[in-house]
């Protein structure tokens, strides 16, 4: 996709703003959405405005040295592997540039936590890669996108920031811990076990905890080694009253490479569901056990199916996807 560049301000430091170039990558979402009625916060169309248009509505960003690129333009409920692949490669390319201090990615809220975790595991960046979004469209009477985007740029320039982060509603979360916890409120995200990293208050970042140390990156080589259609198929199933395993057997009949089960409590499973999952495991399907609870790990035991640890079901799916993709591409197993 053609890149569009915009530099704001004559110098890298203007009016006391921290120096450094920030690259903003647009992918669409509610932050770029529009509605016919300014009082309508739900009946809008996502991904209608380009990232350049979003910047024009935020005058303070004129004090920063910015560069923009429209990587995708979609509603994040429709996020796909092809966009993930393209986004990871563009982020990697910009991170390698010595003039770039950090990146910001505008995204929809629905699958933001999945994209954030994917990028963290693939790239494990030392520079900050900050995702941001909005719960209200750009045409709303009280839009939240402009402040979130301004905060994200501020965070991307903070020398203490690193890794993939979320700047949203004045809060900073890590890719590993963040989850969307509300369907409508403007403060829709929280960190598991209350592990938020910082608050952004009037352009100042108040750190509450050290930014997480970035681990080893899976790398982008495996992403490009095979076509998207050849990526492992990982599905999520859930334990609930009456779960009998029929969904697992249907998926097994279709052909699936891995299954993540969102168990109850500490990853507990009904007798029928566990039996079906063990059938899948015996057939060569990788099975990981997570929990449908909002927080807390699934403890491991030699008798139970493999645990996904503290990963949510959607993040466990990404971890299993990358594990199988890496193995498939012949890389050394972690």
């Amino acid at each position: 996709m053609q890149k569009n560049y915009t530099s704001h301000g004559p110098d890298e430091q203007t009016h006391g703003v921290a120096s450094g170039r920030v690259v903003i990558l647009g992918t669409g979402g509610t932050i770029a959405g529009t509605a016919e009625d300014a009082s309508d916060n739900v009946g809008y169309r996502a991904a209608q405005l380009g990232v350049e248009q979003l910047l024009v509505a935020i005058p303070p960003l004129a004090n920063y040295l910015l560069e923009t690129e429209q990587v995708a333009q979609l509603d994040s409920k429709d996020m796909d592997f092809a966009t993930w692949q393209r986004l990871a490669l563009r982020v990697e390319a910009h991170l390698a540039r010595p003039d770039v201090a950090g990146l910001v990615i505008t995204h929809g809220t629905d699958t933001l936590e999945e994209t954030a975790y994917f990028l963290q595991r693939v790239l494990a960046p030392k520079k900050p890669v900050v995702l941001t979004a909005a719960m209200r469209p750009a045409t709303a009477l009280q839009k939240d996108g402009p402040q979130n985007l301004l905060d994200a740029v501020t965070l991307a320039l903070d020398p203490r920031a690193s890794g993939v982060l979320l700047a949203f509603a004045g809060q900073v979360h890590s890719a590993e811990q963040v989850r969307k916890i509300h369907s409508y409120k403007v403060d829709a995200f929280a960190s598991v076990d209350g592990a938020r990293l910082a608050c952004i208050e009037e352009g100042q970042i108040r750190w509450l905890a050290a930014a997480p140390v970035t681990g080893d990156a899976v790398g982008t080589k495996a992403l490009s080694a095979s076509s998207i259609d050849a990526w492992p198929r990982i599905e999520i199933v859930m334990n609930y009253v009456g779960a009998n395993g029929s969904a697992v057997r249907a998926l097994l009949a279709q052909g699936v490479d891995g299954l993540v089960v969102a168990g109850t409590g500490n990853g507990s499973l009904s007798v029928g569901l566990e039996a079906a999952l063990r059938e899948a495991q015996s057939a060569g399907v990788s099975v990981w056990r997570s929990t449908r609870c909002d927080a807390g790990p699934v403890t491991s035991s030699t008798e139970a199916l493999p645990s996904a640890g503290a990963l949510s079901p959607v993040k466990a799916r990404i971890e299993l996807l990358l594990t199988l993709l890496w193995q498939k591409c012949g890389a050394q197993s972690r």
Side-chain angles (χ1 to χ4, degrees):
M1 182 174 292
Q2 183 179 0
K3 294 183 291 184
N4 299 308
Y5 298 100
T6 299
S7 294
H8 296 262
D11 302 304
E12 292 192 3
Q13 185 163 343
T14 309
H15 301 303
V17 175
S19 63
R21 182 184 297 272
V22 175
V23 177
I24 304 178
L25 305 180
T27 69
T30 297
I31 194 170
T34 60
E36 293 183 4
D37 186 344
S39 65
D40 190 348
N41 293 325
V42 294
Y44 59 87
R45 294 182 63 189
Q48 298 302 299
L49 302 178
V51 65
E52 287 278 352
Q53 294 171 277
L54 300 184
L55 268 59
V56 171
I58 312 172
L61 288 180
N63 296 325
Y64 294 81
L65 185 66
L66 304 177
E67 182 176 306
T68 65
E69 180 179 343
Q70 195 74 43
V71 176
Q73 188 69 300
L74 46 73
D75 189 322
S76 79
K77 67 179 176 56
D78 299 314
M79 183 57 69
D80 53 35
F81 289 162
T83 304
W84 270 4
Q85 181 187 57
R86 184 165 62 253
L87 182 61
L89 293 174
R90 295 308 301 146
V91 171
E92 182 181 51
H94 288 299
L95 286 172
R97 294 169 50 189
D99 64 317
V100 172
L103 280 80
V104 169
I105 301 171
T106 59
H107 199 285
T109 61
D110 284 349
T111 57
L112 185 149
E113 65 196 83
E114 295 174 64
T115 297
Y117 187 76
F118 173 79
L119 291 174
Q120 176 61 38
R121 290 295 295 118
V122 169
L123 301 172
K126 304 304 181 185
K127 295 178 182 180
V129 175
V130 185
L131 278 76
T132 195
M135 290 297 289
R136 294 172 178 170
T139 51
L141 290 173
Q142 293 184 318
K143 55 180 84 54
D144 56 328
Q147 185 66 58
N148 288 343
L149 184 49
L150 178 60
D151 287 348
V153 172
T154 302
L155 180 60
L157 287 169
D158 192 295
R160 295 162 293 181
S162 63
V164 180
L165 306 168
L166 169 64
F168 197 89
Q171 308 293 322
V172 178
H173 307 278
S174 72
E176 295 93 337
Q177 297 292 326
V178 70
R179 295 188 187 184
K180 186 175 181 180
I181 61 167
H182 201 279
S183 62
Y184 182 76
K185 294 196 303 182
V186 292
D187 55 341
F189 288 90
S191 288
V192 177
D193 296 326
R196 63 176 178 161
L197 298 177
C199 299
I200 307 176
E201 301 157 335
E202 299 300 323
Q204 300 296 315
I205 300 175
R206 178 165 58 92
W207 289 91
L208 307 173
V213 177
T214 56
D216 294 333
V218 173
T220 57
K221 183 178 179 180
L223 301 185
S224 305
S226 59
S227 68
I228 298 297
D229 292 339
W231 282 21
R233 180 183 177 187
I234 316 296
E235 299 290 348
I236 299 174
V237 295
M238 181 184 287
N239 190 47
Y240 46 82
V241 174
N244 58 16
S246 59
V248 172
R249 294 187 177 95
L251 289 170
L252 189 59
Q254 292 177 20
V256 66
D257 300 295
L259 290 169
V260 172
V261 56
T264 38
N266 187 22
S268 62
L269 307 171
S270 69
V271 172
L273 179 56
E274 181 170 0
L277 289 167
R278 291 194 179 276
E279 291 173 19
Q281 188 181 52
S282 297
V285 175
S286 296
V287 178
W288 285 7
R289 190 168 46 94
S290 181
T291 176
R292 72 183 204 186
C293 294
D294 287 340
V298 170
T299 55
S300 301
S301 72
T302 55
E303 297 82 14
L305 290 164
S307 167
L311 293 175
S312 67
V314 293
K315 291 180 180 177
R317 175 178 177 261
I318 295 167
E319 188 69 25
L320 182 52
L321 167 71
L322 293 174
T323 297
L324 296 182
L325 185 59
W326 205 12
Q327 292 173 354
K328 183 176 182 179
C329 293
Q332 183 179 357
S333 177
R334 278 167 289 151

